[in-house]
Amino acid sequence: MLGWQSRDAEDLSPGHGHEHEHEHGHEHGREPLPGPLSPPCRAPPHGPAAALGAGRWALGAGCRVLGAGCRVLGAGCGAEVPRRGCSMAEVPAAPHRTTGSTLLHPLSALLGIPLDQINFVACQLFALLAAFWFRIYLGPSHASSAVRHAFATLFGIYFAVFCFGWYSIHLFVLVMMNYGIMNTASIPNIHRYSFVVAMGYLTLCHISRIYIFHYGILTTDFSGPLMIITQKITTLACQLHDGIGRQAEELTAEQNRLAVKTRPSLLEYLSYLLNFMSIIAGPCSNYKDYIAFIEGRHVHMKLLEVNWKQKGYDRLPDPSPTGAVMYKLCITLVSLVLFLTLTKNFPMAYIIDNEFLDKTPFLSRLGYLYVVTQAAKPKYYFAWTLADAVNNAAGYGFSGVDERGAFRWDLLSNLNIWNIETATSFKMYIENWNIQTAAWLKRVCYDRAPWYPTALTFILSALWHGIYPGYYFTFLTGILITLAARAIRSNCRHYFLSSVPLKIAYDVATWVVTQLAVCYTVAPFVMLAVEPTVKFYKSMYFHMHILSILVLLVLPIRPQARSVRKPQNEAIQNSVKSKDK
């Protein structure tokens, strides 16, 4: 759900990276880095920032891209660097290796950026150009659905092989395994079998990446696309189960709208899972929306929801995504600049440095935690906004018309930056961060869980992200803070709505608490390992945990309305009854 992993995060894991570093050390004329027990050299308070260079990028919620930072090794402490092989005045040479194509090796050597990351960004930029071409020359009026499906699939497969080489076979194995399940499993169980196989295969890959290969697989590896494909497989299986195995009266309005009535063909299935617009960085989308896009009904269906004659139109308008794409590319550019100038100067690893903890007061540490969390965001803004722009450039992602009559291209948007930065509740923050993953969790877990939907949804989110201990610290903490935030809101908020000054004071206070609570919650997600996580929470005196528990003990917990989970016919009946009154 959160997607905060970066290369810095992996470096915080004790002993991480030494096998991989020895593999590359002599290749660039550098002495191999020492092991985790080597005596560290203490860096000055702002030393780590000076040693940071262009590092590994990260796509969260599901991807592995563009993160920052030098190899912060030492004995599991992020602010300690080895005596040998890392200079405070020099940036370590980037290993020009990849599991994919080596075509761009000269560019990698020129820029000093690892080749796997160069391949990743190159594919996304090429996908953007291909998306424009796809919309203009292979639009529904120029090419059949089969041609559009085939083009999107073949280009997607090529991008996967180009980026990940033979590791991309994991993507194809999972896709074909679940195609077999979709065509042989009974409809009442199709969603269960698909879920178990997809999540099981993803978990095995997570385990092999960490514990079998000892982090030897590159950061921009196949696990990111595999996570997106897992979302799509389980989404389609649930919607197929809704469309064929359940009565319309049993479904919510959303489930009924998205229900798939027939099993897709092989070409449709491959196109949905492996298309070039989302194979590298997502996001996950609904099968019916994707098929409507390929068949040319996507925009038309949304436009029919508006009475255009009242607006003075003689015929339906033809909205162009060009303006939305240019706007999102501007956000991408600004995010990239912020990453290059801000992120590398505020490493998350520094918040557990012994010298920093000894000399910095608690409130200052809390403030620095907020700063480093803010500094970590631009790389996600960059990656998710660029992925959204790629889909929009192809003509996919139209969501209708807003109240001002402007065309909206945010159907596949993965974040709302304004709502994130101004969130006054934990719930509001989560709903606007990694939006498509949150929607997936809601559709496959929260809306279908017979009991404890919140807890089960957090657990699924952690399992989907991987098996690092830090993920589970984050999501268990998130459950606790979410419940406490609900209790405070339901018991206290109405007292502050009587006047404007009180409402403003309430909003300011809840904004501050929300931002700090998010920082406190996601720190283990970045640190990954148990040791730095426990050290971090000790330095923070477990204050959010203690406050949340006290809130839950003192304030009564009011039952939450779950009307969204009512079957469609029950909702209609209730609406009719209320009208009769």
Side-chain angles (χ1 to χ4, degrees):
M1 183 187 299
L2 296 171
W4 284 89
Q5 184 179 351
S6 68
R7 186 68 182 186
D8 290 339
E10 292 184 357
D11 292 337
L12 288 169
S13 301
H16 164 264
H18 297 285
E19 298 88 345
H20 196 52
E21 197 67 47
H22 281 297
E23 181 181 354
H24 304 306
H26 292 292
E27 183 176 302
H28 302 283
R30 291 184 291 128
E31 186 179 3
L33 293 177
L37 299 180
S38 299
C41 61
R42 175 69 62 185
H46 298 286
L52 290 175
R56 305 238 179 227
W57 291 70
L59 261 187
C63 315
R64 309 272 198 260
V65 278
L66 301 177
C70 70
R71 292 283 193 178
V72 190
L73 295 174
C77 177
E80 296 177 347
V81 297
R83 288 185 185 275
R84 297 174 295 157
C86 183
S87 168
M88 299 303 297
E90 297 177 353
V91 177
H96 303 292
R97 295 187 70 254
T98 180
T99 57
S101 172
T102 58
L103 179 66
L104 300 178
H105 182 278
L107 180 61
S108 173
L110 177 65
L111 299 178
I113 298 175
L115 182 54
D116 59 312
Q117 297 170 24
I118 291 288
N119 285 350
F120 180 93
V121 176
C123 278
Q124 282 296 84
L125 294 178
F126 189 74
L128 180 67
L129 298 177
F132 278 113
W133 188 90
F134 184 75
R135 178 171 59 88
I136 296 171
Y137 296 103
L138 282 184
S141 59
H142 297 89
S144 66
S145 297
V147 171
R148 283 166 61 82
H149 277 306
F151 180 89
T153 303
L154 293 175
F155 259 61
I157 292 173
Y158 175 75
F159 285 168
V161 174
F162 185 89
C163 279
F164 312 114
W166 72 268
Y167 278 120
S168 60
I169 195 171
H170 288 287
L171 310 180
F172 311 139
V173 166
L174 180 59
V175 167
M176 295 313 298
M177 284 171 55
N178 277 274
Y179 183 73
I181 291 173
M182 188 186 67
N183 283 281
T184 58
S186 61
I187 288 297
N189 294 310
I190 189 172
H191 60 308
R192 297 188 181 97
Y193 295 156
S194 296
F195 181 89
V196 169
V197 170
M199 285 300 301
Y201 194 90
L202 176 64
T203 302
L204 288 175
C205 288
H206 281 318
I207 292 172
S208 68
R209 179 179 182 268
I210 298 167
Y211 295 112
I212 297 177
F213 291 100
H214 304 291
Y215 306 89
I217 300 174
L218 298 172
T219 303
T220 46
D221 63 45
F222 66 91
S223 60
L226 196 66
M227 292 162 74
I228 298 298
I229 288 176
T230 297
Q231 287 186 346
K232 291 185 177 183
I233 286 172
T234 52
T235 295
L236 175 57
C238 286
Q239 292 171 353
L240 196 60
H241 170 68
D242 291 341
I244 302 177
R246 301 173 68 187
Q247 298 296 321
E249 295 78 15
E250 301 172 359
L251 307 176
T252 65
E254 183 185 53
Q255 288 172 345
N256 190 54
R257 178 178 64 85
L258 298 174
V260 178
K261 306 294 184 181
T262 57
R263 300 177 198 253
S265 67
L266 178 60
L267 181 59
E268 291 171 334
Y269 185 79
L270 294 177
S271 177
Y272 171 61
L273 296 179
L274 301 175
N275 68 81
F276 74 92
M277 291 97 70
S278 63
I279 182 67
I280 301 298
C284 174
S285 62
N286 295 298
Y287 177 77
K288 286 185 72 172
D289 289 333
Y290 180 76
I291 294 301
F293 154 69
I294 290 293
E295 295 177 353
R297 298 180 286 106
H298 170 59
V299 174
H300 186 75
M301 288 166 53
K302 302 292 183 181
L303 291 175
L304 289 178
E305 298 174 2
V306 179
N307 189 336
W308 291 101
K309 289 186 178 181
Q310 290 183 351
K311 296 179 177 293
Y313 286 82
D314 295 330
R315 58 183 180 178
L316 291 178
D318 183 20
S320 170
T322 304
V325 173
M326 294 299 107
Y327 172 75
K328 291 173 183 179
L329 290 179
C330 288
I331 294 177
T332 298
L333 181 60
V334 171
S335 299
L336 180 61
V337 171
L338 288 175
F339 169 77
L340 295 174
T341 58
L342 180 64
T343 303
K344 66 180 182 178
N345 290 313
F346 295 96
M348 179 68 77
Y350 195 52
I351 63 176
I352 56 171
D353 172 51
N354 290 330
E355 187 172 351
F356 175 76
L357 295 178
D358 291 340
K359 295 184 178 181
T360 310
F362 173 73
L363 291 180
S364 297
R365 281 185 271 128
L366 206 58
Y368 185 77
L369 174 63
Y370 174 74
V371 171
V372 297
T373 305
Q374 290 295 105
K377 292 178 183 177
K379 55 178 168 281
Y380 303 103
Y381 293 167
F382 170 86
W384 285 335
T385 305
L386 179 58
D388 192 14
V390 170
N391 282 274
N392 290 170
Y396 188 28
F398 183 70
S399 58
V401 182
D402 63 19
E403 60 277 1
R404 297 172 299 175
F407 299 123
R408 295 172 52 193
W409 289 87
D410 59 358
L411 181 68
L412 303 178
S413 295
N414 231 343
L415 49 81
N416 185 315
I417 297 176
W418 175 256
N419 287 349
I420 288 170
E421 301 300 341
T422 60
T424 56
S425 71
F426 205 72
K427 178 177 180 291
M428 180 180 176
Y429 197 107
I430 292 175
E431 287 177 345
N432 290 280
W433 177 270
N434 208 349
I435 295 171
Q436 301 308 321
T437 294
W440 168 71
L441 290 167
K442 177 180 181 295
R443 287 167 186 158
V444 304
C445 183
Y446 188 87
D447 286 348
R448 300 173 192 273
W451 54 78
Y452 305 118
T454 299
L456 290 175
T457 301
F458 272 107
I459 291 171
L460 173 59
S461 182
L463 185 64
W464 175 77
H465 279 93
I467 44 94
Y468 292 102
Y471 294 166
Y472 299 90
F473 277 100
T474 285
F475 289 111
L476 290 174
T477 303
I479 293 172
L480 188 63
I481 293 179
T482 298
L483 295 175
R486 285 179 184 172
I488 293 174
R489 185 177 180 85
S490 61
N491 285 280
C492 303
R493 184 173 184 271
H494 55 279
Y495 293 115
F496 295 89
L497 301 180
S498 58
S499 67
V500 174
L502 278 177
K503 178 64 167 58
I504 293 175
Y506 176 84
D507 288 342
V508 171
T510 53
W511 176 81
V512 172
V513 173
T514 296
Q515 299 298 323
L516 293 179
V518 169
C519 298
Y520 181 91
T521 303
V522 303
F525 205 100
V526 179
M527 296 176 180
L528 300 180
V530 173
E531 182 183 352
T533 295
V534 173
K535 185 176 182 180
F536 164 74
Y537 277 146
K538 282 183 178 179
S539 73
M540 291 287 146
Y541 309 114
F542 293 92
H543 69 279
M544 281 292 177
H545 289 92
I546 295 172
L547 290 174
S548 297
I549 292 172
L550 290 176
V551 165
L552 294 174
L553 291 175
V554 173
L555 296 180
I557 301 176
R558 301 181 182 181
Q560 190 181 17
R562 299 285 299 281
S563 58
V564 294
R565 301 186 70 196
K566 290 180 180 179
Q568 187 178 18
N569 66 332
E570 183 179 344
I572 294 173
Q573 290 172 5
N574 292 340
S575 176
V576 172
K577 288 179 182 179
S578 63
K579 289 181 180 179
D580 290 341
K581 293 178 181 179

